[in-house]
Amino acid sequence: MASLTSAAPRPSISHSQIHRQELTAAAQAGREGLERAARGLSLKQQRSTRETKSFDYVARTMIAGGVAGITAKTIIAPLDRVKILFQVGSPQYERYAGTLTGVFKAGRDIQKTVGIRGLFQGNSATVLRIFPYAAIKFMAYEQYRTLLMPTRRDETPFKKLIAGSLAGVTSVFFTYPLDLMRVRLAYETTATPYMTLVGKIYNEPAARHGQTVTTGTSSWVPTFRITNFYRGFICSVMGMIPYAGVSFFTHDVMQEFCRNHIAWTLKPHQNRGLPDANGDYARPELKTAAELACGGIAGAIAMTASYPFEVVRRKMQVAGALDPRVFVGMWDTAKRVYLSKGPRGFFVGLSIGYLKVTPMMAVSFTAYERMKALLAIN
C-alpha cells in the first residue's frame, strides 16, 4: 500500500506584505525613470553646449540681430540724415551745426525742400545695409564670446572688449559698400535713384587713376574700381574697434550690475530653464526700461570713444562726390579737419550723435534681447 505524502503548506501572504511589494516595485520603477530622465537631461545639456556652433543657433542669432538693427535704425533715420549733413559740411546746412536747435532747423528745411521723404532719404540703403550688418555683428559677437569665454567663469572685461571689437570689424568688412552708399544718398540734396548712384560711384576715375590727393602717385592705391566703394574703410575699422568693443562691453557690464545690485530691474516670475553642461542657468531678463537704459548708456560711451574716427570716415566717403578723380587718405583728411576747425572739428555733430546713438543702441540691444527670448536662444 503506497504511502501518501501530504504537500507542504503554502505560506500565507498578508495584504500588508502585498502592499509593501507593490510599493517596492513602484519605487524601483521610479528610480529607473529618474535615471533615464537624468541621462536624457545630460544629452540635452551636451546638445545645448554644442548648440552655439550649430547652423540653427547661428541663423537664429542673425535673425534676432537683423530685426533689432532695422527697428533701431528706422526710428532714428531723420536724425541720422541731419547728422551726416553736419559731419560732411554740406554748404546748405553747415550754418546749423553746433547749435542746440540746429538739428530741428535743418530737419525743417529738409522737410520744406523735399518733404517728409527727405528726412528718410538714404534709409532704404540703410535697411539693406543694417540687416546684414547687425545680423553679422550680433552673431559674430555670440561666436567670439563663446570662443573666448566658454563658461561664465572665463568671462573678463578685457575678453568682452575683444569679442565686441572683433564682431564689429567682421560686420564692417562684409557690409562697408552698403554703408558708403547710404552716406552718399544722404549727402545728395536731391533725390537720386539707387542704381544711378551705384553706377556713378563705380565709374569714378579715382580707382582707375589710383591717385592720392597729396602725391598724385599710384604707389599703393589699388586700381580696382570696386575700391571706390571702400573709401574710408581703414578709418572705419579703426573706429569700429573702440565703438563695437566699448558698446558690447559697457552693455554687458551694465546688465550684470543691474542683475546683481538693482533687484527691481529684474522681471518677476522668470523661468530660467535647465542648467547647461557647465552648470550655468540662463541669465535673468531685465525689465524693458532697464534694458533701454543699459543700451543707451552703452551707446553714448561708445560714441564718445569713436566719434573722431567717424568724422574722418564720413569726410572720406563723400570725397568722391567732391572730387571723383582722387582718393583722399585718412591722415590727409584728418589734417584738413584739424586745420579748418581745430580739435573741435573732430566732434562736429557729436550732440546730435548722442541724440541719435543713445536711442538707437537702447532700442537695438533691447530688441535683440527680446528677439533672443522669442527665438529661444537666450
Side-chain angles (χ1 to χ4, degrees):
M1 185 175 183
S3 60
L4 297 174
T5 58
S6 58
R10 294 182 179 179
S12 61
I13 300 176
S14 65
H15 290 292
S16 61
Q17 289 176 320
I18 294 174
H19 184 62
R20 282 196 297 270
Q21 290 175 357
E22 290 175 347
L23 289 176
T24 303
Q28 180 65 25
R31 284 194 295 270
E32 292 175 355
L34 289 174
E35 290 175 0
R36 287 194 299 270
R39 287 194 295 270
L41 288 179
S42 178
L43 290 174
K44 185 172 183 179
Q45 291 168 356
Q46 292 173 13
R47 286 196 298 269
S48 69
T49 302
R50 294 192 300 268
E51 188 181 16
T52 55
K53 294 182 174 60
S54 69
F55 175 79
D56 177 73
Y57 184 87
V58 169
R60 286 171 183 254
T61 53
M62 291 187 75
I63 292 171
V67 171
I70 287 177
T71 303
K73 273 292 189 180
T74 301
I75 288 175
I76 54 86
L79 289 172
D80 200 26
R81 174 83 199 281
V82 175
K83 182 180 74 84
I84 290 174
L85 291 172
F86 284 177
Q87 283 180 329
V88 301
S90 174
Q92 291 179 245
Y93 300 100
E94 191 172 15
R95 65 183 183 276
Y96 296 132
T99 63
L100 292 175
T101 59
V103 57
F104 304 105
K105 291 178 180 178
R108 179 199 60 197
D109 285 2
I110 293 172
Q111 193 272 333
K112 285 182 178 179
T113 306
V114 192
I116 294 295
R117 276 186 57 220
L119 294 172
F120 290 86
Q121 186 167 316
N123 193 52
S124 58
T126 298
V127 169
L128 289 174
R129 179 192 74 93
I130 202 61
F131 186 89
Y133 169 79
I136 293 171
K137 182 178 73 171
F138 281 107
M139 179 275 295
Y141 179 68
E142 298 290 354
Q143 294 300 313
Y144 286 129
R145 182 171 178 161
T146 301
L147 180 66
L148 296 173
M149 298 166 280
T151 68
R152 291 185 192 168
R153 287 166 287 282
D154 298 318
E155 292 181 354
T156 65
F158 180 72
K159 287 181 179 179
K160 290 180 179 179
L161 190 69
I162 294 298
S165 298
L166 290 174
V169 172
T170 302
S171 59
V172 166
F173 177 78
F174 287 104
T175 61
Y176 190 81
L178 293 173
D179 182 53
L180 183 134
M181 288 293 303
R182 177 180 70 93
V183 173
R184 290 289 291 269
L185 282 170
Y187 181 75
E188 299 287 335
T189 54
T190 58
T192 304
Y194 189 80
M195 294 309 299
T196 300
L197 187 58
V198 170
K200 180 180 177 182
I201 294 173
Y202 182 77
N203 290 306
E204 285 174 357
R208 296 199 304 272
H209 297 164
Q211 293 182 342
T212 62
V213 69
T214 54
T215 63
T217 65
S218 56
S219 56
W220 61 273
V221 178
T223 57
F224 300 107
R225 291 191 181 189
I226 194 67
T227 56
N228 285 329
F229 293 94
Y230 278 86
R231 291 176 182 266
F233 175 71
I234 299 300
C235 184
S236 181
V237 169
M238 292 181 65
M240 183 54 64
I241 290 173
Y243 180 77
V246 170
S247 64
F248 276 112
F249 163 74
T250 306
H251 180 253
D252 282 0
V253 168
M254 290 298 299
Q255 278 190 320
E256 291 304 312
F257 180 80
C258 289
R259 291 187 180 111
N260 296 328
H261 302 287
I262 313 178
W264 58 265
T265 62
L266 300 177
K267 282 186 172 182
H269 314 299
Q270 298 193 43
N271 179 13
R272 298 177 64 186
L274 298 169
D276 62 16
N278 301 310
D280 295 328
Y281 286 85
R283 288 178 170 87
E285 289 186 56
L286 299 179
K287 293 179 180 178
T288 301
E291 284 284 9
L292 289 170
C294 291
I297 292 171
I301 295 175
M303 169 62 74
T304 305
S306 63
Y307 197 78
F309 291 103
E310 185 177 358
V311 171
V312 174
R313 174 169 61 98
R314 297 301 189 202
K315 291 279 189 181
M316 294 177 70
Q317 286 177 330
V318 301
L322 301 175
D323 189 352
R325 298 170 300 172
V326 295
F327 282 110
V328 183
M330 182 177 68
W331 297 115
D332 293 322
T333 303
K335 189 187 301 182
R336 287 183 174 187
V337 172
Y338 182 81
L339 291 176
S340 63
K341 297 183 179 179
R344 290 183 58 190
F346 293 101
F347 295 92
V348 170
L350 180 59
S351 58
I352 189 175
Y354 287 137
L355 289 176
K356 169 205 156 187
V357 169
T358 302
M360 182 189 75
M361 296 300 287
V363 172
S364 179
F365 276 118
T366 302
Y368 179 63
E369 293 296 330
R370 296 295 177 263
M371 286 297 297
K372 283 173 66 178
L374 181 65
L375 296 173
I377 53 174
N378 190 14

